[in-house]
C-alpha cells in the first residue's frame, strides 16, 4: 500500500513534461486584427502556455518546432516497454486459469477485468516497439501467440513475476485454494508492475511511454486494493 501511494505521489513530478504547444485556428485581437506576433502569411501562430503567473507566448511555427521538447525514447523507455509486454503476458496466463479453477465469482470477475485491460495495453506497447525499434534490433518480446509469458527474458530481473513452480502450483489448484494463491501471486505481480512503471517515469524520456506507465500505476493500484479486500 505504501509503495503504491509513494508511486502516485511521485507521478506529479515524473509526469510533468514541457508545456504543450496548442495550435490555434488563428490568433486575433478582439477587434479582429491579427495579433502582434500572429502570422501574416496565412500560417497559424502557436500559443505556448506560460508557467504559473506568466503570460502565454505567441510563437511562429518555426519557433514552436525549435522549442518542442525532444521525447526521443531512451534505454529506460525501451526496457520498460519490452519488459512490461512480458509482464502483462504472464498476467494473462494466470488470469486464463480462473474461469475453470476459481470458486469465487469475485476472483473470476477480477481475472476477466485484468485480461480485458492488459490485452489492449500489450497491443499498444507492441505498436510502440514497431515505431521505435531498439538499437541493434533488441526488441524481441518472445513467446509466440503473445500470452505465454515464458519468452527469452530473464524473469528474475522483472519484479513480481511468478516462477515456473508457482505457475504450476496455480494451474494445479482449484476452488478456494486457487483463489487464495491467485490473489497472492497477482498482488505481487501488480506490485512489481508498479515498480517497473515508477522506474520508467523516473528515467524515461518518451511521452507515450510516460502515459502508458501512468495508466499502469492508476489501474493496477486500484486492482491491488480490490485483491487485498478479497484476500
Amino acid at each position: 500500500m505504501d509503495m503504491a501511494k509513494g508511486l502516485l505521489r511521485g507521478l506529479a513530478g515524473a509526469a510533468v513534461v514541457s508545456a504543450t504547444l496548442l495550435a490555434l485556428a488563428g490568433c486575433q485581437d478582439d477587434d479582429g486584427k491579427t495579433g502582434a506576433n500572429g502570422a501574416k502569411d496565412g500560417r497559424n501562430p502557436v500559443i505556448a502556455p506560460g508557467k504559473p503567473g506568466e503570460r502565454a507566448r505567441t510563437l511562429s511555427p518555426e519557433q514552436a518546432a525549435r522549442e518542442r521538447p525532444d521525447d526521443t525514447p531512451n534505454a529506460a523507455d525501451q526496457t520498460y516497454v519490452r519488459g512490461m509486454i512480458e509482464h502483462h503476458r504472464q498476467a494473462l496466463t494466470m488470469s486464463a486459469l480462473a474461469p475453470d479453477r476459481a470458486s469465487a465469482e469475485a476472483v473470476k470477475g477480477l481475472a476477466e477485468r485484468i485480461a480485458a485491460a492488459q490485452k489492449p495495453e500489450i497491443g499498444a506497447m507492441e505498436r510502440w516497439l514497431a515505431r521505435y525499434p531498439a538499437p541493434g534490433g533488441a526488441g524481441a518480446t518472445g513467446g509466440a501467440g503473445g500470452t505465454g509469458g515464458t519468452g527469452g527474458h530473464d524473469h528474475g530481473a522483472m519484479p513480481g513475476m511468478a516462477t515456473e513452480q508457482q505457475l504450476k502450483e496455480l494451474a494445479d489448484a482449484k476452488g478456494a485454494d486457487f483463489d487464495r494463491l491467485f490473489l497472492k501471486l497477482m498482488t505481487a505481480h501488480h506490485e512489481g508492475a508498479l515498480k517497473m512503471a515508477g522506474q520508467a517515469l523516473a528515467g524515461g524520456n518518451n511521452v507515450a511511454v510516460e502515459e502508458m506507465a501512468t495508466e499502469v500505476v492508476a489501474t493496477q493500484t486500484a486492482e491491488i486494493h480490490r485483491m487485498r479486500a478479497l484476500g
Side-chain angles (χ1 to χ4, degrees):
M1 181 77 72
D2 293 339
M3 177 193 66
K5 289 182 178 178
L7 277 172
L8 289 173
R9 285 197 297 267
L11 272 177
V16 170
V17 293
S18 301
T20 306
L21 300 178
L22 303 177
L24 302 182
C27 179
Q28 295 185 324
D29 297 327
D30 292 339
D31 60 3
K33 296 180 181 179
T34 302
N37 293 325
K40 296 182 180 180
D41 57 1
R43 295 178 303 166
N44 293 329
V46 177
I47 303 301
K51 297 178 181 178
E54 295 182 357
R55 295 173 62 90
R57 295 180 299 142
T58 304
L59 309 176
S60 70
E62 291 79 12
Q63 288 174 313
R66 287 195 297 270
E67 295 196 14
R68 182 178 179 180
D70 178 11
D71 72 340
T72 301
N74 61 15
D77 295 315
Q78 290 283 346
T79 297
Y80 174 75
V81 174
R82 295 199 312 272
M84 191 56 74
I85 287 173
E86 286 299 305
H87 210 268
H88 275 18
R89 284 175 174 168
Q90 189 180 81
L92 296 186
T93 297
M94 296 164 65
S95 297
L97 299 172
D100 295 330
R101 291 169 173 78
S103 61
E105 290 301 320
V107 172
K108 293 180 181 180
L110 174 68
E112 184 177 357
R113 286 192 295 272
I114 289 172
Q118 296 197 18
K119 283 180 181 178
E121 289 176 356
I122 288 175
M125 289 185 283
E126 288 177 335
R127 289 190 294 273
W128 185 92
L129 280 179
R131 182 177 180 183
Y132 300 109
T141 55
T147 59
T150 57
H153 293 277
D154 177 11
H155 291 171
M158 288 190 284
M161 291 288 279
T163 65
E164 293 298 327
Q165 179 60 33
Q166 287 172 326
L167 291 177
K168 183 179 184 303
E169 291 173 359
L170 185 65
D172 291 340
K174 278 199 172 186
D177 289 339
F178 176 90
D179 295 344
R180 285 191 294 269
L181 186 55
F182 178 85
L183 293 172
K184 176 183 176 180
L185 295 179
M186 192 63 78
T187 297
H189 201 267
H190 276 30
E191 288 173 344
L194 295 187
K195 289 181 181 179
M196 294 168 66
Q199 291 167 354
L201 290 169
N205 188 61
N206 183 256
V207 172
V209 172
E210 178 183 315
E211 292 172 350
M212 289 188 284
T214 301
E215 179 65 20
V216 164
V217 170
T219 301
Q220 299 204 19
T221 296
E223 289 174 349
I224 286 172
H225 294 329
R226 290 195 195 98
M227 289 188 287
R228 285 177 175 164
L230 290 172

